[in-house]
Amino acid sequence: MTATVERAVAAPGPVTAPGDASRRAAAEESGRPLWQRVLFVVALVGAAGVFMLPFVWLIGASLRPREYVFSGGFLPTPFAPGNYADAWQAVPMVTWLANSVVVGTAAAVAVTLSSAWVAFGFAYFRFPGRDLLFGLVLATMMLPFAVTMIPTYLIWTELRLTGTQVPLWAGNLFGSAFYIFLLRQFLLSLPREYFEAARVDGASYPQLFWKLAFPLIRPALLVAFVFEFKASWTDLMKPLIYLRDEELYTLPRGLKVVLDRFGYGGEQQWEVVLAGSVIATVPMLVLFFLAQRHFVEGIATTGRKG
């Protein structure tokens, strides 16, 4: 059975191989007239520049002395790199960073695996009412967070887990409608014959998932992981609701403390606030840079069936 599964994974077929989407896009791009390609590149560079301006200003302002923070311009003149050391020493930034990494990783792993299991069920099994049930799952996306916020809080209160980091990630163990849809579409693009061959050879359903489907949907899994990690990294509402101990704060909750202490109503040390904002942003930029190839591949191939 294991040999059959391994042959199925390695067998050639219509499954999108790594890099196929980018190579097809490059081939299509090379067939366009030169002026269209130049115009396309100029438009991309212009749009990227517009979106980068606020972050460039943030970096420049965070490197100026207090009296020059809002002086205008993008260059850090005068230059004051000590603002980052002040921000690092003023609050437990290392602790907040570590908490965000732990909570973000737990939330991303939980929602990716649980959603992949549900998506595999919807993609592989055929049973009466499957489409209706899948539609109900997608309908849960219409419920705003404010509708479920109080019932969810009451549940965690009954479990005596408020004041801990568990509510920040444990809810993801039940999956997410968006990621279920994303992964189901990717699974539908896999040839069903692979799974049928493994079943004939005696593979169980968990083996179909872990040994056959899981290796083939890694790009889509990475997309789900990065999306959820980013959502957890920037989430402020849940930490505001559930966390009381400053040692358990995630980075967004900690930045709220920095803003209250050094911003409005505080000491007006905006250079510390801006330096903390840059520190919170850089890890996500590094994550997207490291995962960009697989990330683009997963986005490009998800949604194509057959």
Side-chain angles (χ1 to χ4, degrees), residues 188-252:
L188 288 175
S189 68
L190 304 179
R192 189 175 180 84
E193 291 78 9
Y194 289 0
F195 300 97
E196 298 297 339
R199 283 292 294 165
V200 169
D201 203 47
S204 63
Y205 294 124
Q207 287 175 326
L208 288 183
F209 177 78
W210 289 110
K211 294 186 178 181
L212 186 56
F214 191 87
L216 294 173
I217 64 172
R218 282 177 183 171
L221 293 173
L222 182 62
V223 170
F225 181 91
V226 173
F227 273 6
E228 186 59 27
F229 190 89
K230 182 264 178 188
S232 176
W233 187 270
T234 58
D235 183 24
L236 174 61
M237 183 61 70
K238 288 182 182 178
L240 276 174
I241 295 173
Y242 295 107
L243 299 183
R244 299 293 180 269
D245 186 359
E246 189 170 296
E247 292 298 317
L248 298 177
Y249 284 177
T250 57
L251 203 52

Short mmCIF file of all heavy atoms in Angstrom, two decimals, residues 188-252:
data_model
loop_
_atom_site.label_atom_id
_atom_site.label_comp_id
_atom_site.label_asym_id
_atom_site.label_seq_id
_atom_site.Cartn_x
_atom_site.Cartn_y
_atom_site.Cartn_z
N LEU A 188 -9.64 19.60 -5.25
CA LEU A 188 -10.44 19.20 -6.42
C LEU A 188 -9.62 19.16 -7.69
O LEU A 188 -10.01 18.54 -8.67
CB LEU A 188 -11.63 20.16 -6.60
CG LEU A 188 -12.76 20.03 -5.58
CD1 LEU A 188 -13.80 21.12 -5.80
CD2 LEU A 188 -13.40 18.65 -5.65
N SER A 189 -8.47 19.85 -7.70
CA SER A 189 -7.61 19.84 -8.88
C SER A 189 -6.75 18.59 -8.96
O SER A 189 -6.10 18.35 -9.98
CB SER A 189 -6.72 21.09 -8.90
OG SER A 189 -5.76 21.04 -7.85
N LEU A 190 -6.72 17.77 -7.90
CA LEU A 190 -5.93 16.55 -7.90
C LEU A 190 -6.70 15.42 -8.57
O LEU A 190 -7.91 15.28 -8.35
CB LEU A 190 -5.57 16.15 -6.46
CG LEU A 190 -4.85 17.19 -5.62
CD1 LEU A 190 -4.59 16.64 -4.22
CD2 LEU A 190 -3.54 17.62 -6.27
N PRO A 191 -6.05 14.61 -9.39
CA PRO A 191 -6.75 13.48 -10.04
C PRO A 191 -7.28 12.50 -9.00
O PRO A 191 -6.55 12.03 -8.12
CB PRO A 191 -5.65 12.83 -10.90
CG PRO A 191 -4.62 13.89 -11.08
CD PRO A 191 -4.65 14.72 -9.84
N ARG A 192 -8.55 12.18 -9.11
CA ARG A 192 -9.17 11.25 -8.16
C ARG A 192 -8.60 9.84 -8.30
O ARG A 192 -8.65 9.04 -7.36
CB ARG A 192 -10.68 11.25 -8.38
CG ARG A 192 -11.45 10.49 -7.31
CD ARG A 192 -12.95 10.60 -7.51
NE ARG A 192 -13.68 9.87 -6.48
CZ ARG A 192 -13.96 10.33 -5.28
NH1 ARG A 192 -13.56 11.55 -4.94
NH2 ARG A 192 -14.62 9.59 -4.40
N GLU A 193 -8.04 9.52 -9.48
CA GLU A 193 -7.50 8.18 -9.69
C GLU A 193 -6.37 7.86 -8.72
O GLU A 193 -6.16 6.69 -8.35
CB GLU A 193 -6.99 8.04 -11.13
CG GLU A 193 -8.09 8.04 -12.19
CD GLU A 193 -8.62 9.43 -12.48
OE1 GLU A 193 -8.01 10.41 -11.98
OE2 GLU A 193 -9.64 9.54 -13.18
N TYR A 194 -5.61 8.88 -8.28
CA TYR A 194 -4.55 8.65 -7.31
C TYR A 194 -5.12 8.05 -6.03
O TYR A 194 -4.60 7.08 -5.48
CB TYR A 194 -3.83 9.96 -6.99
CG TYR A 194 -2.95 10.51 -8.09
CD1 TYR A 194 -2.82 9.84 -9.31
CD2 TYR A 194 -2.24 11.68 -7.91
CE1 TYR A 194 -2.02 10.35 -10.31
CE2 TYR A 194 -1.44 12.20 -8.91
CZ TYR A 194 -1.32 11.52 -10.11
OH TYR A 194 -0.52 12.03 -11.09
N PHE A 195 -6.19 8.66 -5.55
CA PHE A 195 -6.79 8.21 -4.30
C PHE A 195 -7.46 6.85 -4.46
O PHE A 195 -7.39 6.00 -3.56
CB PHE A 195 -7.80 9.25 -3.82
CG PHE A 195 -7.20 10.61 -3.58
CD1 PHE A 195 -7.28 11.60 -4.54
CD2 PHE A 195 -6.55 10.90 -2.39
CE1 PHE A 195 -6.73 12.85 -4.33
CE2 PHE A 195 -6.00 12.14 -2.16
CZ PHE A 195 -6.08 13.12 -3.14
N GLU A 196 -8.11 6.63 -5.60
CA GLU A 196 -8.77 5.35 -5.82
C GLU A 196 -7.75 4.22 -5.88
O GLU A 196 -7.98 3.12 -5.36
CB GLU A 196 -9.60 5.40 -7.11
CG GLU A 196 -10.72 6.43 -7.10
CD GLU A 196 -11.75 6.15 -6.03
OE1 GLU A 196 -11.84 4.99 -5.57
OE2 GLU A 196 -12.46 7.09 -5.63
N ALA A 197 -6.61 4.48 -6.51
CA ALA A 197 -5.58 3.45 -6.59
C ALA A 197 -5.04 3.11 -5.20
O ALA A 197 -4.81 1.94 -4.87
CB ALA A 197 -4.44 3.93 -7.48
N ALA A 198 -4.86 4.12 -4.37
CA ALA A 198 -4.38 3.87 -3.01
C ALA A 198 -5.43 3.13 -2.19
O ALA A 198 -5.10 2.27 -1.38
CB ALA A 198 -4.01 5.20 -2.34
N ARG A 199 -6.71 3.45 -2.40
CA ARG A 199 -7.77 2.76 -1.66
C ARG A 199 -7.83 1.29 -2.06
O ARG A 199 -8.02 0.41 -1.20
CB ARG A 199 -9.12 3.42 -1.94
CG ARG A 199 -9.34 4.72 -1.19
CD ARG A 199 -9.47 4.47 0.30
NE ARG A 199 -10.67 3.72 0.62
CZ ARG A 199 -10.89 3.12 1.78
NH1 ARG A 199 -9.96 3.15 2.72
NH2 ARG A 199 -12.02 2.47 2.01
N VAL A 200 -7.67 0.99 -3.35
CA VAL A 200 -7.69 -0.40 -3.80
C VAL A 200 -6.56 -1.18 -3.16
O VAL A 200 -6.70 -2.38 -2.83
CB VAL A 200 -7.59 -0.46 -5.35
CG1 VAL A 200 -7.33 -1.88 -5.82
CG2 VAL A 200 -8.86 0.09 -5.97
N ASP A 201 -5.45 -0.52 -2.92
CA ASP A 201 -4.29 -1.18 -2.32
C ASP A 201 -4.39 -1.27 -0.80
O ASP A 201 -3.48 -1.77 -0.15
CB ASP A 201 -3.02 -0.44 -2.70
CG ASP A 201 -1.79 -1.34 -2.60
OD1 ASP A 201 -1.85 -2.48 -3.11
OD2 ASP A 201 -0.80 -0.90 -1.99
N GLY A 202 -5.49 -0.75 -0.24
CA GLY A 202 -5.72 -0.90 1.20
C GLY A 202 -5.40 0.30 2.04
O GLY A 202 -5.36 0.18 3.28
N ALA A 203 -5.19 1.47 1.45
CA ALA A 203 -4.89 2.67 2.24
C ALA A 203 -6.14 3.13 2.99
O ALA A 203 -7.24 3.13 2.44
CB ALA A 203 -4.38 3.79 1.34
N SER A 204 -5.96 3.51 4.23
CA SER A 204 -7.06 4.07 5.01
C SER A 204 -7.25 5.54 4.64
O SER A 204 -6.41 6.14 3.98
CB SER A 204 -6.77 3.93 6.50
OG SER A 204 -5.62 4.69 6.85
N TYR A 205 -8.36 6.10 5.12
CA TYR A 205 -8.62 7.50 4.81
C TYR A 205 -7.57 8.43 5.43
O TYR A 205 -7.13 9.38 4.75
CB TYR A 205 -10.03 7.90 5.26
CG TYR A 205 -11.11 7.19 4.49
CD1 TYR A 205 -12.08 6.44 5.13
CD2 TYR A 205 -11.16 7.27 3.10
CE1 TYR A 205 -13.07 5.79 4.42
CE2 TYR A 205 -12.15 6.62 2.37
CZ TYR A 205 -13.10 5.87 3.04
OH TYR A 205 -14.06 5.24 2.32
N PRO A 206 -7.15 8.22 6.67
CA PRO A 206 -6.05 9.06 7.19
C PRO A 206 -4.77 8.93 6.37
O PRO A 206 -4.06 9.91 6.15
CB PRO A 206 -5.85 8.55 8.62
CG PRO A 206 -7.17 7.99 9.00
CD PRO A 206 -7.72 7.38 7.75
N GLN A 207 -4.48 7.73 5.86
CA GLN A 207 -3.30 7.56 5.03
C GLN A 207 -3.46 8.29 3.70
O GLN A 207 -2.48 8.84 3.16
CB GLN A 207 -3.03 6.08 4.80
CG GLN A 207 -2.49 5.35 6.02
CD GLN A 207 -2.36 3.87 5.80
OE1 GLN A 207 -3.18 3.26 5.09
NE2 GLN A 207 -1.35 3.26 6.39
N LEU A 208 -4.66 8.30 3.15
CA LEU A 208 -4.90 9.07 1.92
C LEU A 208 -4.57 10.54 2.14
O LEU A 208 -4.00 11.18 1.26
CB LEU A 208 -6.36 8.92 1.48
CG LEU A 208 -6.82 7.59 0.90
CD1 LEU A 208 -8.28 7.69 0.46
CD2 LEU A 208 -5.95 7.17 -0.28
N PHE A 209 -4.95 11.03 3.30
CA PHE A 209 -4.72 12.44 3.57
C PHE A 209 -3.24 12.73 3.82
O PHE A 209 -2.66 13.61 3.17
CB PHE A 209 -5.56 12.90 4.76
CG PHE A 209 -5.33 14.33 5.14
CD1 PHE A 209 -5.90 15.36 4.41
CD2 PHE A 209 -4.52 14.66 6.22
CE1 PHE A 209 -5.67 16.68 4.74
CE2 PHE A 209 -4.29 15.98 6.57
CZ PHE A 209 -4.87 16.99 5.83
N TRP A 210 -2.63 12.00 4.77
CA TRP A 210 -1.28 12.33 5.19
C TRP A 210 -0.22 11.95 4.17
O TRP A 210 0.76 12.70 3.99
CB TRP A 210 -0.96 11.65 6.52
CG TRP A 210 -1.70 12.23 7.68
CD1 TRP A 210 -2.70 11.64 8.41
CD2 TRP A 210 -1.52 13.54 8.24
NE1 TRP A 210 -3.14 12.50 9.39
CE2 TRP A 210 -2.43 13.66 9.31
CE3 TRP A 210 -0.66 14.60 7.95
CZ2 TRP A 210 -2.52 14.82 10.08
CZ3 TRP A 210 -0.74 15.74 8.72
CH2 TRP A 210 -1.66 15.85 9.77
N LYS A 211 -0.39 10.81 3.48
CA LYS A 211 0.66 10.33 2.59
C LYS A 211 0.45 10.72 1.13
O LYS A 211 1.39 10.68 0.34
CB LYS A 211 0.78 8.82 2.71
CG LYS A 211 1.28 8.35 4.07
CD LYS A 211 1.52 6.86 4.10
CE LYS A 211 2.07 6.42 5.45
NZ LYS A 211 2.33 4.95 5.49
N LEU A 212 -0.78 11.07 0.76
CA LEU A 212 -1.05 11.38 -0.64
C LEU A 212 -1.47 12.83 -0.83
O LEU A 212 -0.83 13.58 -1.56
CB LEU A 212 -2.13 10.44 -1.18
CG LEU A 212 -2.44 10.55 -2.69
CD1 LEU A 212 -1.17 10.34 -3.49
CD2 LEU A 212 -3.50 9.54 -3.08
N ALA A 213 -2.55 13.23 -0.16
CA ALA A 213 -3.05 14.58 -0.36
C ALA A 213 -2.14 15.63 0.26
O ALA A 213 -1.86 16.66 -0.36
CB ALA A 213 -4.47 14.70 0.23
N PHE A 214 -1.66 15.38 1.47
CA PHE A 214 -0.87 16.39 2.19
C PHE A 214 0.36 16.84 1.42
O PHE A 214 0.61 18.04 1.30
CB PHE A 214 -0.49 15.84 3.57
CG PHE A 214 0.08 16.87 4.49
CD1 PHE A 214 -0.75 17.65 5.29
CD2 PHE A 214 1.45 17.09 4.57
CE1 PHE A 214 -0.23 18.61 6.14
CE2 PHE A 214 1.98 18.05 5.41
CZ PHE A 214 1.13 18.81 6.20
N PRO A 215 1.17 15.92 0.85
CA PRO A 215 2.34 16.40 0.09
C PRO A 215 1.97 17.19 -1.16
O PRO A 215 2.74 18.06 -1.59
CB PRO A 215 3.08 15.10 -0.29
CG PRO A 215 2.59 14.08 0.67
CD PRO A 215 1.16 14.44 0.95
N LEU A 216 0.81 16.89 -1.75
CA LEU A 216 0.44 17.55 -3.00
C LEU A 216 -0.18 18.93 -2.80
O LEU A 216 -0.22 19.73 -3.74
CB LEU A 216 -0.55 16.67 -3.78
CG LEU A 216 0.02 15.34 -4.30
CD1 LEU A 216 -1.09 14.48 -4.90
CD2 LEU A 216 1.12 15.58 -5.32
N ILE A 217 -0.68 19.21 -1.61
CA ILE A 217 -1.34 20.50 -1.38
C ILE A 217 -0.49 21.42 -0.50
O ILE A 217 -1.01 22.38 0.07
CB ILE A 217 -2.73 20.31 -0.75
CG1 ILE A 217 -2.61 19.67 0.65
CG2 ILE A 217 -3.62 19.48 -1.64
CD1 ILE A 217 -3.92 19.62 1.41
N ARG A 218 0.80 21.16 -0.41
CA ARG A 218 1.65 21.99 0.44
C ARG A 218 1.62 23.47 0.06
O ARG A 218 1.62 24.33 0.94
CB ARG A 218 3.08 21.47 0.40
CG ARG A 218 3.29 20.23 1.27
CD ARG A 218 4.69 19.70 1.17
NE ARG A 218 4.86 18.47 1.96
CZ ARG A 218 5.92 17.70 1.92
NH1 ARG A 218 6.93 18.02 1.11
NH2 ARG A 218 5.99 16.61 2.66
N PRO A 219 1.60 23.84 -1.24
CA PRO A 219 1.51 25.28 -1.54
C PRO A 219 0.25 25.93 -0.97
O PRO A 219 0.32 27.03 -0.43
CB PRO A 219 1.51 25.31 -3.08
CG PRO A 219 2.20 24.05 -3.48
CD PRO A 219 1.81 23.03 -2.46
N ALA A 220 -0.89 25.24 -1.08
CA ALA A 220 -2.12 25.79 -0.54
C ALA A 220 -2.08 25.82 0.98
O ALA A 220 -2.60 26.76 1.61
CB ALA A 220 -3.33 24.98 -1.01
N LEU A 221 -1.48 24.82 1.60
CA LEU A 221 -1.34 24.82 3.05
C LEU A 221 -0.48 25.98 3.51
O LEU A 221 -0.75 26.61 4.54
CB LEU A 221 -0.72 23.50 3.52
CG LEU A 221 -1.57 22.24 3.36
CD1 LEU A 221 -0.76 21.00 3.71
CD2 LEU A 221 -2.83 22.31 4.21
N LEU A 222 0.56 26.28 2.75
CA LEU A 222 1.43 27.41 3.10
C LEU A 222 0.67 28.73 3.00
O LEU A 222 0.85 29.62 3.83
CB LEU A 222 2.66 27.43 2.20
CG LEU A 222 3.69 28.53 2.50
CD1 LEU A 222 4.24 28.37 3.91
CD2 LEU A 222 4.81 28.52 1.49
N VAL A 223 -0.17 28.84 1.98
CA VAL A 223 -0.98 30.06 1.84
C VAL A 223 -1.88 30.23 3.06
O VAL A 223 -1.97 31.32 3.64
CB VAL A 223 -1.83 30.00 0.54
CG1 VAL A 223 -2.84 31.13 0.51
CG2 VAL A 223 -0.93 30.08 -0.68
N ALA A 224 -2.56 29.15 3.45
CA ALA A 224 -3.43 29.22 4.63
C ALA A 224 -2.63 29.56 5.88
O ALA A 224 -3.07 30.37 6.71
CB ALA A 224 -4.18 27.90 4.80
N PHE A 225 -1.46 28.95 6.02
CA PHE A 225 -0.62 29.21 7.20
C PHE A 225 -0.20 30.68 7.27
O PHE A 225 -0.31 31.33 8.32
CB PHE A 225 0.61 28.30 7.17
CG PHE A 225 1.51 28.47 8.36
CD1 PHE A 225 1.34 27.69 9.49
CD2 PHE A 225 2.54 29.41 8.35
CE1 PHE A 225 2.17 27.84 10.60
CE2 PHE A 225 3.37 29.57 9.45
CZ PHE A 225 3.18 28.78 10.58
N VAL A 226 0.28 31.22 6.15
CA VAL A 226 0.75 32.61 6.14
C VAL A 226 -0.41 33.57 6.37
O VAL A 226 -0.28 34.54 7.14
CB VAL A 226 1.46 32.92 4.80
CG1 VAL A 226 1.80 34.40 4.71
CG2 VAL A 226 2.73 32.09 4.68
N PHE A 227 -1.56 33.31 5.74
CA PHE A 227 -2.72 34.16 5.95
C PHE A 227 -3.10 34.22 7.43
O PHE A 227 -3.34 35.29 7.99
CB PHE A 227 -3.90 33.64 5.13
CG PHE A 227 -3.95 34.17 3.73
CD1 PHE A 227 -2.94 34.95 3.21
CD2 PHE A 227 -5.03 33.88 2.90
CE1 PHE A 227 -2.98 35.43 1.92
CE2 PHE A 227 -5.09 34.35 1.60
CZ PHE A 227 -4.06 35.13 1.11
N GLU A 228 -3.19 33.05 8.06
CA GLU A 228 -3.64 33.00 9.45
C GLU A 228 -2.58 33.55 10.39
O GLU A 228 -2.91 34.21 11.39
CB GLU A 228 -3.99 31.57 9.84
CG GLU A 228 -4.61 31.44 11.21
CD GLU A 228 -5.89 32.24 11.38
OE1 GLU A 228 -6.58 32.47 10.36
OE2 GLU A 228 -6.20 32.64 12.52
N PHE A 229 -1.31 33.29 10.11
CA PHE A 229 -0.25 33.85 10.95
C PHE A 229 -0.29 35.37 10.91
O PHE A 229 -0.15 36.03 11.94
CB PHE A 229 1.11 33.34 10.49
CG PHE A 229 2.23 33.67 11.43
CD1 PHE A 229 2.56 32.81 12.46
CD2 PHE A 229 2.95 34.85 11.29
CE1 PHE A 229 3.59 33.11 13.35
CE2 PHE A 229 3.98 35.17 12.16
CZ PHE A 229 4.30 34.30 13.20
N LYS A 230 -0.50 35.91 9.73
CA LYS A 230 -0.60 37.37 9.60
C LYS A 230 -1.83 37.90 10.35
O LYS A 230 -1.77 38.94 11.02
CB LYS A 230 -0.65 37.75 8.12
CG LYS A 230 -0.71 39.25 7.86
CD LYS A 230 -2.11 39.72 7.64
CE LYS A 230 -2.17 41.23 7.41
NZ LYS A 230 -3.57 41.72 7.38
N ALA A 231 -2.96 37.19 10.23
CA ALA A 231 -4.17 37.62 10.92
C ALA A 231 -3.98 37.60 12.43
O ALA A 231 -4.42 38.53 13.14
CB ALA A 231 -5.35 36.73 10.53
N SER A 232 -3.32 36.56 12.94
CA SER A 232 -3.06 36.49 14.38
C SER A 232 -2.05 37.54 14.81
O SER A 232 -2.17 38.13 15.88
CB SER A 232 -2.55 35.09 14.74
OG SER A 232 -2.20 35.00 16.10
N TRP A 233 -1.04 37.79 13.98
CA TRP A 233 0.02 38.75 14.31
C TRP A 233 -0.54 40.15 14.47
O TRP A 233 -0.05 40.94 15.28
CB TRP A 233 1.08 38.72 13.23
CG TRP A 233 2.31 39.52 13.53
CD1 TRP A 233 2.54 40.83 13.23
CD2 TRP A 233 3.48 39.06 14.23
NE1 TRP A 233 3.78 41.22 13.67
CE2 TRP A 233 4.37 40.16 14.29
CE3 TRP A 233 3.85 37.84 14.77
CZ2 TRP A 233 5.62 40.05 14.89
CZ3 TRP A 233 5.09 37.75 15.38
CH2 TRP A 233 5.96 38.84 15.43
N THR A 234 -1.55 40.50 13.68
CA THR A 234 -2.10 41.86 13.70
C THR A 234 -3.40 41.97 14.50
O THR A 234 -4.00 43.05 14.52
CB THR A 234 -2.36 42.34 12.26
OG1 THR A 234 -3.27 41.44 11.61
CG2 THR A 234 -1.06 42.39 11.47
N ASP A 235 -3.85 40.88 15.11
CA ASP A 235 -5.12 40.89 15.82
C ASP A 235 -4.99 41.62 17.15
O ASP A 235 -4.15 41.27 17.99
CB ASP A 235 -5.59 39.44 16.06
CG ASP A 235 -6.95 39.40 16.73
OD1 ASP A 235 -7.72 40.38 16.61
OD2 ASP A 235 -7.26 38.39 17.40
N LEU A 236 -5.82 42.62 17.35
CA LEU A 236 -5.84 43.36 18.60
C LEU A 236 -7.07 43.05 19.44
O LEU A 236 -7.02 43.09 20.68
CB LEU A 236 -5.78 44.87 18.31
CG LEU A 236 -5.93 45.81 19.51
CD1 LEU A 236 -4.80 45.59 20.52
CD2 LEU A 236 -5.97 47.27 19.06
N MET A 237 -8.20 42.72 18.79
CA MET A 237 -9.45 42.57 19.51
C MET A 237 -9.41 41.44 20.53
O MET A 237 -9.76 41.63 21.70
CB MET A 237 -10.59 42.33 18.52
CG MET A 237 -11.96 42.24 19.17
SD MET A 237 -12.43 43.76 20.02
CE MET A 237 -12.67 44.84 18.62
N LYS A 238 -8.96 40.26 20.13
CA LYS A 238 -8.95 39.13 21.07
C LYS A 238 -8.01 39.37 22.25
O LYS A 238 -8.39 39.11 23.40
CB LYS A 238 -8.57 37.85 20.33
CG LYS A 238 -9.66 37.32 19.41
CD LYS A 238 -9.22 36.03 18.75
CE LYS A 238 -10.29 35.52 17.81
NZ LYS A 238 -9.85 34.28 17.12
N PRO A 239 -6.79 39.85 22.04
CA PRO A 239 -5.95 40.16 23.21
C PRO A 239 -6.57 41.20 24.13
O PRO A 239 -6.42 41.12 25.36
CB PRO A 239 -4.65 40.66 22.59
CG PRO A 239 -4.59 40.01 21.26
CD PRO A 239 -6.01 39.97 20.79
N LEU A 240 -7.28 42.19 23.57
CA LEU A 240 -7.94 43.18 24.41
C LEU A 240 -9.02 42.54 25.27
O LEU A 240 -9.26 42.94 26.41
CB LEU A 240 -8.56 44.28 23.54
CG LEU A 240 -7.64 45.42 23.08
CD1 LEU A 240 -8.38 46.33 22.11
CD2 LEU A 240 -7.14 46.22 24.28
N ILE A 241 -9.70 41.54 24.73
CA ILE A 241 -10.81 40.90 25.45
C ILE A 241 -10.31 39.93 26.51
O ILE A 241 -10.81 39.92 27.64
CB ILE A 241 -11.73 40.16 24.45
CG1 ILE A 241 -12.41 41.17 23.51
CG2 ILE A 241 -12.79 39.34 25.18
CD1 ILE A 241 -13.19 40.52 22.40
N TYR A 242 -9.30 39.13 26.18
CA TYR A 242 -8.95 37.99 27.02
C TYR A 242 -7.72 38.18 27.90
O TYR A 242 -7.57 37.47 28.89
CB TYR A 242 -8.75 36.74 26.15
CG TYR A 242 -10.01 36.29 25.47
CD1 TYR A 242 -10.19 36.49 24.10
CD2 TYR A 242 -11.03 35.68 26.18
CE1 TYR A 242 -11.35 36.07 23.46
CE2 TYR A 242 -12.20 35.27 25.56
CZ TYR A 242 -12.36 35.46 24.20
OH TYR A 242 -13.51 35.05 23.58
N LEU A 243 -6.81 39.07 27.53
CA LEU A 243 -5.54 39.16 28.26
C LEU A 243 -5.57 40.29 29.28
O LEU A 243 -6.03 41.40 28.98
CB LEU A 243 -4.38 39.36 27.28
CG LEU A 243 -4.16 38.25 26.26
CD1 LEU A 243 -2.95 38.56 25.40
CD2 LEU A 243 -4.01 36.90 26.94
N ARG A 244 -5.05 40.00 30.48
CA ARG A 244 -4.94 41.00 31.54
C ARG A 244 -3.49 41.17 32.00
O ARG A 244 -3.10 42.26 32.39
CB ARG A 244 -5.80 40.57 32.73
CG ARG A 244 -7.29 40.45 32.42
CD ARG A 244 -7.93 41.78 32.09
NE ARG A 244 -9.35 41.64 31.80
CZ ARG A 244 -9.84 41.45 30.59
NH1 ARG A 244 -9.01 41.37 29.54
NH2 ARG A 244 -11.14 41.34 30.39
N ASP A 245 -2.74 40.10 31.98
CA ASP A 245 -1.35 40.13 32.44
C ASP A 245 -0.46 40.66 31.32
O ASP A 245 -0.47 40.13 30.20
CB ASP A 245 -0.92 38.73 32.84
CG ASP A 245 0.47 38.71 33.47
OD1 ASP A 245 1.11 39.78 33.56
OD2 ASP A 245 0.92 37.61 33.84
N GLU A 246 0.32 41.68 31.61
CA GLU A 246 1.19 42.29 30.59
C GLU A 246 2.23 41.32 30.07
O GLU A 246 2.69 41.44 28.94
CB GLU A 246 1.87 43.53 31.18
CG GLU A 246 2.61 44.37 30.15
CD GLU A 246 3.07 45.70 30.70
OE1 GLU A 246 2.20 46.52 31.06
OE2 GLU A 246 4.30 45.92 30.75
N GLU A 247 2.61 40.33 30.88
CA GLU A 247 3.59 39.34 30.45
C GLU A 247 3.02 38.40 29.38
O GLU A 247 3.78 37.72 28.70
CB GLU A 247 4.07 38.51 31.64
CG GLU A 247 4.90 39.29 32.63
CD GLU A 247 6.19 39.82 32.00
OE1 GLU A 247 6.84 39.05 31.26
OE2 GLU A 247 6.54 40.99 32.25
N LEU A 248 1.70 38.36 29.23
CA LEU A 248 1.07 37.50 28.24
C LEU A 248 0.65 38.25 26.99
O LEU A 248 0.13 37.65 26.05
CB LEU A 248 -0.18 36.82 28.85
CG LEU A 248 0.06 35.88 30.03
CD1 LEU A 248 -1.27 35.35 30.55
CD2 LEU A 248 0.97 34.73 29.62
N TYR A 249 0.87 39.56 26.96
CA TYR A 249 0.43 40.37 25.83
C TYR A 249 1.11 39.92 24.54
O TYR A 249 2.30 39.56 24.53
CB TYR A 249 0.74 41.84 26.05
CG TYR A 249 -0.18 42.55 27.01
CD1 TYR A 249 0.04 43.87 27.36
CD2 TYR A 249 -1.26 41.90 27.59
CE1 TYR A 249 -0.80 44.54 28.24
CE2 TYR A 249 -2.10 42.55 28.47
CZ TYR A 249 -1.86 43.87 28.80
OH TYR A 249 -2.68 44.51 29.67
N THR A 250 0.35 39.95 23.45
CA THR A 250 0.94 39.82 22.13
C THR A 250 1.38 41.21 21.66
O THR A 250 1.12 42.22 22.32
CB THR A 250 -0.06 39.22 21.15
OG1 THR A 250 -1.25 40.03 21.11
CG2 THR A 250 -0.44 37.80 21.55
N LEU A 251 2.02 41.26 20.51
CA LEU A 251 2.59 42.53 20.05
C LEU A 251 1.53 43.62 19.80
O LEU A 251 1.74 44.77 20.21
CB LEU A 251 3.43 42.29 18.80
CG LEU A 251 4.52 43.32 18.50
CD1 LEU A 251 5.41 43.54 19.71
CD2 LEU A 251 5.36 42.88 17.32
N PRO A 252 0.41 43.32 19.13
CA PRO A 252 -0.60 44.38 18.96
C PRO A 252 -1.11 44.93 20.29
O PRO A 252 -1.30 46.14 20.44
CB PRO A 252 -1.71 43.69 18.17
CG PRO A 252 -1.04 42.57 17.46
CD PRO A 252 0.04 42.10 18.39
#
